[in-house]
Amino acid sequence: MALRFFNTYSRELEEFAPREAGKIDIYTCGPTVYSRAHIGNFRAYIFEDLLQRHLEARGFKVHRVMNITDVDDKTIRGSREAGIPLTKFTEQFKEAFFDDAETLRIKRADEYPSATDQHYIDKMISMIGALIAKGLAYQADDKSVYFRIHNFPNYGKLAHFDLTQLQSTGRVKHDEYDKEHIGDFALWKAWDEKDGDVKWASPWGPGRPGWHIECSAMATALLGDQIDIHCGGVDNIFPHHEAEIAQSEGVTGKKFVRMWMHCAHLLVDGQKMAKSLGNFYTVPDVLAKGYTGRELRYALIRVHYRTQLNFTWEGMNEARESLGRIDDWLRRLREIAGDESGIAPGHEFEDALDDDLNISAALGFLFETIRETNRAMDRGELDPATAGSWLQWWNRVDAVLALGGQEIEIPPAVLALAKEREQARLAKDWKKSDELRDQLSALGWEVRDSKDGQKITKRAGA
Ligand code: AMP
Ligand code: ZN
């Protein structure tokens, strides 16, 4: 089945083929490091991780770049308020971002360029110079440089509205009085005293880059003039990605991105999870409630990326339950599996993801498989070779989902106690069996008895 994705640019499902056979370049807008990223941000990063892992499972060599926005109004304000230099202020949130990404099993990008790296600042300055030379940008009286949207006819194509028709409402912010058009956006922001010592030299005087040019410069510097896939959350479509197209294509004259993919928001009580609304949770907030990184990963990955997802604790419990079913299934398969393997399972899981990352269909197929093989095991009809094949299939599937692993983390001491308890139950020594259950519980583990024997799971909150 051919790969197809929903392209925000055309608002249509399009068959996707990279520019170069077997290789895919992906640019993903990364965090603005003025505070710890919230789990809404991580929904976007998990969607991008799923995309990368699936493309790799399909045999593509993926080269992914994720930028770090470490200079903008918010980072400057934060460092001023904290009374520490900008780089020191942003460093702590960069570290936190990498910690949280690891907790959520997100594959590292190949590169994490920082906007404040002089190499990229130079690239931003040269792009702005090229835009001015082409009449696509101008320096205003306030010394800042703005993009002239009237001279870029495609402006608004990604967001699907005609922005050049925007009329000034007379409520233009004070610092934007000098623009020719209300929709013109800043490429270079002239230094003012609020910026303190955050400034770089440029042909237009001291200042700092606008957020949009940062991404155009880092994307083209690392991936070239044209990119296969560019991702972000839907809130990035306008103005950020619209501006990235105008700047990049304005300079190169080539189509910047072949496939624009955006994920819908993570909501809380029906509202977007956002720093500004104060309705957010961070990864450590969720861990502090007793959940694990893989449970959160499951909760964020299980809904199609273009569908809004409401975050609830009930959803976290459902994630735990679903993972428990996977763990139990794997344990049963491992007990049965022999060395040889049988008929190789098909590619329904991968086919589902080929279709615009249809994770609901892919997980539906996984759980249907679990139900069917469990039934066969209940009847004692699953032979060792078939069990082995399903385990191999799981390894393939889990290279994309990255949800496995928990079931082998049961410590040997816990396994020994569980074994002892099993013996006690066989000997009908209920008192000893209960004592052992209490001991296991004290260690944070719960045993349940089923017709297939004991099931050991980590106690909620342990
Ligand atoms: P920011 O640090 O605000 O630039 O956001 C980083 C990434 O997270 C961007 O791709 C945003 O579109 C995305 N994002 C922000 N809030 C949410 C949310 N509530 N749900 C999903 N993605 C989000
Ligand atoms: Zn960006």
Side-chain angles (χ1 to χ4, degrees):
M1 192 177 167
L3 271 175
R4 48 176 212 158
F5 298 126
F6 185 85
N7 190 345
T8 309
Y9 200 85
S10 64
R11 300 284 199 273
E12 273 171 22
L13 281 168
E14 288 178 12
E15 201 166 302
F16 174 75
R19 288 165 309 141
E20 205 181 312
K23 283 177 67 183
I24 298 181
D25 289 334
I26 305 183
Y27 186 85
T28 48
C29 290
T32 305
V33 281
Y34 71 105
S35 67
R36 196 165 196 130
H38 58 69
I39 58 172
N41 302 129
F42 279 104
R43 182 188 190 198
Y45 306 139
I46 285 179
F47 138 65
E48 291 154 1
D49 185 54
L50 175 67
L51 174 66
Q52 169 165 7
R53 286 171 180 271
H54 176 58
L55 293 172
E56 287 174 346
R58 280 307 200 193
F60 291 101
K61 169 120 192 47
V62 175
H63 182 188
R64 185 161 68 88
V65 173
M66 175 179 271
N67 72 295
I68 307 278
T69 299
D70 57 356
V71 58
D72 77 330
D73 293 344
K74 287 179 278 196
T75 43
I76 293 175
R77 196 182 320 126
S79 78
R80 269 174 73 102
E81 281 168 11
I84 50 175
L86 182 67
T87 43
K88 198 145 180 250
F89 176 73
T90 54
E91 193 53 44
Q92 56 189 316
F93 300 115
K94 285 187 194 178
E95 264 172 38
F97 169 74
F98 289 117
D99 285 350
D100 292 347
E102 197 179 317
T103 302
L104 294 176
R105 304 177 176 196
I106 294 171
K107 265 188 116 151
R108 285 182 72 90
D110 298 280
E111 273 136 320
Y112 289 101
S114 282
T116 55
D117 184 329
Q118 187 63 46
H119 173 68
Y120 300 118
I121 297 272
D122 291 345
K123 171 90 183 174
M124 295 170 211
I125 289 173
S126 90
M127 286 184 86
I128 296 169
L131 291 171
I132 292 177
K134 291 184 174 195
L136 285 167
Y138 58 92
Q139 184 168 30
D141 291 343
D142 66 355
K143 299 271 183 285
S144 291
V145 180
Y146 296 96
F147 189 93
R148 184 179 276 128
I149 62 168
H150 264 306
N151 284 4
F152 188 77
N154 280 341
Y155 197 71
K157 285 266 169 68
L158 180 70
H160 285 226
F161 44 80
D162 185 356
L163 292 146
T164 55
Q165 296 306 311
L166 268 180
Q167 294 301 319
S168 171
T169 58
R171 290 190 302 157
V172 184
K173 273 193 278 162
H174 171 71
D175 62 351
E176 293 180 345
Y177 263 141
D178 303 304
K179 295 195 294 188
E180 286 175 5
H181 186 279
I182 184 174
D184 291 353
F185 56 87
L187 297 166
W188 188 258
K189 297 188 172 190
W191 181 87
D192 79 30
E193 61 199 20
K194 285 203 303 299
D195 297 337
D197 60 358
V198 179
K199 57 175 188 281
W200 288 267
S202 85
W204 315 285
R208 60 188 164 96
W211 172 38
H212 314 314
I213 195 73
E214 295 178 2
C215 278
S216 282
M218 291 187 272
T220 53
L222 289 163
L223 298 173
D225 293 348
Q226 295 185 287
I227 299 171
D228 293 307
I229 305 178
H230 193 315
C231 307
V234 285
D235 56 313
N236 283 160
I237 297 173
F238 187 83
H240 186 52
H241 290 163
E242 192 75 59
E244 276 190 45
I245 295 174
Q247 300 161 151
S248 308
E249 297 188 2
V251 171
T252 68
K254 296 184 200 143
K255 188 158 182 67
F256 178 43
V257 170
R258 289 165 78 94
M259 181 65 70
W260 283 98
M261 294 177 72
H262 292 97
C263 86
H265 282 143
L266 183 68
L267 310 179
V268 187
D269 300 327
Q271 263 195 316
K272 177 192 171 189
M273 181 177 286
K275 274 273 142 64
S276 55
L277 297 172
N279 62 350
F280 62 90
Y281 299 104
T282 62
V283 171
D285 289 341
V286 176
L287 298 186
K289 293 256 187 194
Y291 295 97
T292 61
R294 81 172 186 138
E295 287 167 344
L296 180 54
R297 178 176 174 90
Y298 186 89
L300 296 177
I301 213 171
R302 76 195 165 97
V303 169
H304 188 262
Y305 76 97
R306 285 195 290 117
T307 305
Q308 291 186 334
L309 166 60
N310 207 27
F311 180 79
T312 59
W313 297 111
E314 201 183 305
M316 286 301 302
N317 291 336
E318 284 165 18
R320 171 168 292 175
E321 213 168 279
S322 301
L323 289 171
R325 279 170 66 200
I326 296 174
D327 292 348
D328 286 346
W329 175 67
L330 291 173
R331 213 169 292 134
R332 286 184 79 181
L333 285 177
R334 288 203 177 105
E335 278 166 18
I336 294 176
D339 291 336
E340 77 279 40
S341 53
I343 304 150
H347 286 88
E348 289 87 339
F349 180 87
E350 290 87 347
D351 289 347
L353 293 179
D354 279 352
D355 185 15
D356 197 28
L357 296 182
N358 190 342
I359 189 73
S360 323
L363 290 176
F365 179 72
L366 168 65
F367 284 105
E368 186 53 37
T369 300
I370 291 178
R371 248 189 313 276
E372 277 175 20
T373 42
N374 273 339
R375 262 189 236 126
M377 286 191 274
D378 291 345
R379 292 193 301 265
E381 286 172 5
L382 199 81
D383 60 88
T386 310
S389 318
W390 282 117
L391 283 173
Q392 280 178 13
W393 176 78
W394 166 256
N395 287 340
R396 210 174 81 202
V397 163
D398 198 44
V400 176
L401 294 176
L403 290 170
Q406 176 91 346
E407 78 281 1
I408 53 166
E409 286 165 20
I410 303 174
V414 170
L415 280 176
L417 284 173
K419 194 115 214 132
E420 218 180 304
R421 182 171 173 274
E422 200 162 33
Q423 298 298 330
R425 286 179 64 79
L426 281 173
K428 301 202 182 328
D429 186 347
W430 309 120
K431 188 163 169 283
K432 184 158 184 212
S433 151
D434 285 349
E435 279 169 15
L436 286 160
R437 178 201 292 271
D438 292 344
Q439 281 185 43
L440 284 163
S441 174
L443 293 172
W445 294 82
E446 195 169 55
V447 276
R448 282 179 290 124
D449 301 302
S450 76
K451 58 180 171 11
D452 312 310
Q454 301 189 110
K455 301 247 185 305
I456 315 165
T457 45
K458 198 147 187 151
R459 214 158 22 81

